[in-house]
Amino acid sequence: MIRKDYLAIVALAAATFGCAGVQHSAEADVVEVTLPASADRVKAAVTKVLADDDYCCVDWKDGAQLKTGYRGEQPSIWDWLVRGRLGVVRSQAEASVTAENDQSSRLRLQVSSEGKQTMFDSWGPTATQVPQSAQNKLRLIKNELKIVQTTYTTDTFYGQKH
C-alpha cells in the first residue's frame, strides 16, 4: 500500500512541473525604414532611445552595426517572486544604419525577446511586448529626430467640434 506522504510528494511534483506551459517560438520583431535624416543623426537617436530604455552596452560596432545586451528591468523588492515563480521576459535590440545620401539613411531595427514562465523553465523565444516592440522604438526614434509625420492635437485626436 502506498503511504500518504509519498502520494503527497508525487502530487506536489506533478502540480509543480506538470503545469508549465509550452512556449511557442516567436520570430524577432523587425522594422526596416528609410528616414529623412543623416546616418549620424539616426545613430545618435537610436543610441539615445535604447540607452534611455535601459538596454545594456549600447555601442556601435564597425560604425554602422549595433547589438545591445539585455534590457535592464526596474529593481523592486518583489524581484525574487517575479523572476522565481511568475516568469520574466527579457529583450535585446540590434540595429544597422546605412547612409543612402546626405539627407536620408536606411534603418533596420530588430528586437528579440526571450521568456520563461517559472524558475524551472529555460529561456525560450517569445513575442515581444508592446513597449519594447520595434514599431514603438521606431516611433521614439522619429520623435527624437523630430520627423513625426502627423502632429496630434486635441482636434485631430478627438475630431473637430461642430
Side-chain angles (χ1 to χ4, degrees), residues 67-110:
K67 182 170 182 175
T68 68
Y70 289 108
R71 180 178 173 273
E73 301 296 329
Q74 295 298 322
S76 76
I77 61 172
W78 300 107
D79 283 350
W80 63 272
L81 177 63
V82 172
R83 289 191 182 106
R85 184 64 192 127
L86 302 177
V88 293
V89 174
R90 62 185 186 181
S91 62
Q92 286 182 309
E94 293 181 33
S96 65
V97 176
T98 54
E100 290 189 339
N101 57 42
D102 292 343
Q103 298 300 320
S104 68
S105 53
R106 186 92 177 137
L107 169 67
R108 182 181 192 279
L109 181 65
Q110 173 179 327

Side-chain angles (χ1 to χ4, degrees), residues 4 7 11 15 19-20 25 43 52 60 67-68 71 87 93 100 103 124 132 139 142 152 162:
K4 289 184 181 182
L7 188 58
C19 294
S25 64
K43 284 193 271 187
D52 287 351
W60 290 89
K67 182 170 182 175
T68 68
R71 180 178 173 273
E100 290 189 339
Q103 298 300 320
Q132 282 73 47
R139 180 186 63 82
K142 286 181 177 180
Y152 290 105
H162 298 282

Side-chain angles (χ1 to χ4, degrees), residues 1-147:
M1 182 169 196
I2 298 177
R3 292 180 39 188
K4 289 184 181 182
D5 54 343
Y6 290 132
L7 188 58
I9 291 171
V10 170
L12 180 63
T16 302
F17 296 108
C19 294
V22 176
Q23 290 184 340
H24 302 283
S25 64
E27 294 181 19
D29 191 11
V30 178
V31 65
E32 292 187 46
V33 65
T34 300
L35 298 171
S38 67
D40 291 335
R41 284 186 59 213
V42 172
K43 284 193 271 187
V46 170
T47 301
K48 182 174 183 337
V49 166
L50 294 177
D52 287 351
D53 201 19
D54 212 15
Y55 280 89
C56 175
C57 309
V58 183
D59 296 320
W60 290 89
K61 307 281 190 257
D62 303 328
Q65 301 292 323
L66 168 75
K67 182 170 182 175
T68 68
Y70 289 108
R71 180 178 173 273
E73 301 296 329
Q74 295 298 322
S76 76
I77 61 172
W78 300 107
D79 283 350
W80 63 272
L81 177 63
V82 172
R83 289 191 182 106
R85 184 64 192 127
L86 302 177
V88 293
V89 174
R90 62 185 186 181
S91 62
Q92 286 182 309
E94 293 181 33
S96 65
V97 176
T98 54
E100 290 189 339
N101 57 42
D102 292 343
Q103 298 300 320
S104 68
S105 53
R106 186 92 177 137
L107 169 67
R108 182 181 192 279
L109 181 65
Q110 173 179 327
V111 179
S112 305
S113 293
E114 297 176 335
K116 64 179 187 172
Q117 293 179 353
T118 69
M119 67 181 148
F120 303 111
D121 290 340
S122 60
W123 291 100
T126 188
T128 305
Q129 296 174 335
V130 173
Q132 282 73 47
S133 70
Q135 285 294 332
N136 190 47
K137 297 297 177 225
L138 177 61
R139 180 186 63 82
L140 294 172
I141 291 166
K142 286 181 177 180
N143 285 346
E144 186 66 30
L145 292 170
K146 304 209 182 336
I147 57 171

